[in-house]
Amino acid sequence: MDVLHLLFNAVTVIFIAVTMFAAGLATTLPTLRAVFTDLPLLSLALLANLAVVPMLGWGIAALFGLPAAGFIALVLVASSPGGPFGAKLSMVQKGDVVAGSAMQVLLAAVASLTFGPTSTAILTLAKVDQGISLDVGALVRTVAVLQLVPFAIGLVVRHYARSTAHSWHPLAAAVSNVTFMMVLAGMLLGSWRDIVALLGSRTLLAGLVLSIAAFAVGTLMATGAPARRSTMGGIAAVRNVSPPLAAIGIAFDDAQTILGALAAVLVSGLAVALPIAAILGRRRDGDTA
């Protein structure tokens, strides 16, 4: 069991680092600059993802009266924007892939610093469990090193050796996809009893509601053409699994019940976000036919 635990942690680290490295390889400085200088889009996206969605997570968890594990998992997920799968959703829905990819990377970078304080504040105010205490400094260091450093390296490679970045990106993206499935499978297998216990529970329903609400908030709180607005909705709906995994390892000693609830929330969120993106993509294919 200890060997499997170490293997799961190793694969998780690889997933986080390679995903951010791949994002850096696919990002150009002009693309980042275009997003940074679009102040209305930037401010609304940051407000939606860093403030509104975390508050929605708190409200939904309270509304559904979730148990401690489900409450913690939902708050951690809601407080963690910038999920790598969000950029993939922009491709599925035939949206603004450039803006979506740049915003996903920006949110992941900013949230590596805001996730700890935000989730700690919500869990403290909610008084879910008096024993909860996040080491914000350790969490910030862990997430920043695992996300910002690989992304910066990839960005530097893309800027100074574009042909190398193009040749490396497919492999990095493939490793990211494979390790993501391995991490998700590890959470499911390691916590399958807890997940089975959650079938038909309010935790799964809360994950669905959060994903739908985040998609709506991200779309409404965006500027530009419909394709760009719905792309921002997809970015908001898919949260970043890396900081919650780090938090569970640091603050909760890899609590299996929380890992199980986290896996359930993530799976239920993807289960609703992906079909929405697919429907939008088919509609846009029909409009261009």
Side-chain angles (χ1 to χ4, degrees):
M1 185 61 68
D2 289 339
V3 174
L4 292 177
H5 180 71
L6 291 174
L7 180 61
F8 174 77
N9 287 342
V11 173
T12 300
V13 169
I14 294 171
F15 161 68
I16 297 170
V18 173
T19 297
M20 296 309 296
F21 178 64
L25 291 175
T27 303
T28 63
L29 291 177
T31 299
L32 287 179
R33 192 178 301 114
V35 174
F36 293 155
T37 55
D38 190 341
L39 294 182
L41 176 67
L42 181 63
S43 57
L44 286 172
L46 290 174
L47 179 62
N49 285 277
L50 300 177
V52 177
V53 174
M55 294 302 293
L56 278 173
W58 182 7
I60 292 170
L63 178 65
F64 283 84
L66 298 184
F71 200 115
I72 293 169
L74 197 71
V75 168
L76 293 179
V77 169
S79 302
S80 182
F85 199 74
K88 299 182 188 298
L89 283 186
S90 66
M91 301 175 189
V92 172
Q93 65 170 278
K94 310 296 191 300
D96 191 334
V97 178
V98 172
S101 299
M103 188 62 69
Q104 177 260 311
V105 171
L106 173 63
L107 287 170
V110 174
S112 69
L113 302 176
T114 63
F115 169 77
T118 300
S119 56
T120 299
I122 293 176
L123 292 175
T124 299
L125 291 172
K127 298 179 180 179
V128 178
D129 187 331
Q130 296 298 326
I132 291 175
S133 177
L134 284 177
D135 186 340
V136 175
L139 182 58
V140 168
R141 289 192 299 270
T142 301
V143 175
V145 169
L146 288 179
Q147 294 196 85
L148 294 183
V149 172
F151 173 70
I153 293 173
L155 188 64
V156 169
V157 173
R158 173 60 185 260
H159 184 69
Y160 290 103
R162 179 169 296 185
S163 60
T164 301
H166 282 304
S167 64
W168 286 1
H169 183 263
L171 177 60
V175 173
S176 173
N177 291 337
V178 170
T179 52
F180 171 74
M181 297 306 297
M182 292 174 66
V183 168
L184 188 57
M187 289 191 296
L188 291 172
L189 292 174
S191 309
W192 68 270
R193 292 184 179 84
D194 300 300
I195 295 174
V196 169
L198 290 173
L199 292 178
S201 72
R202 291 168 295 181
T203 300
L204 284 172
L205 182 58
L208 288 169
V209 172
L210 175 64
S211 184
I212 295 172
F215 207 119
V217 167
T219 301
L220 293 174
M221 296 182 65
T223 60
R228 171 171 285 192
R229 292 170 65 91
S230 64
T231 295
M232 295 301 109
I235 296 297
V238 180
R239 315 305 280 177
N240 193 353
V241 67
S242 307
L245 285 174
I248 294 172
I250 292 172
F252 307 107
D253 195 25
D254 294 308
Q256 288 301 312
T257 54
I258 302 177
L259 278 174
L262 178 67
V265 169
L266 290 172
V267 170
S268 61
L270 286 175
V272 69
L274 187 57
I276 292 175
I279 291 171
L280 289 172
R282 285 198 294 270
R283 288 182 177 178
R284 284 170 184 148
D285 281 338
D287 291 340
T288 57

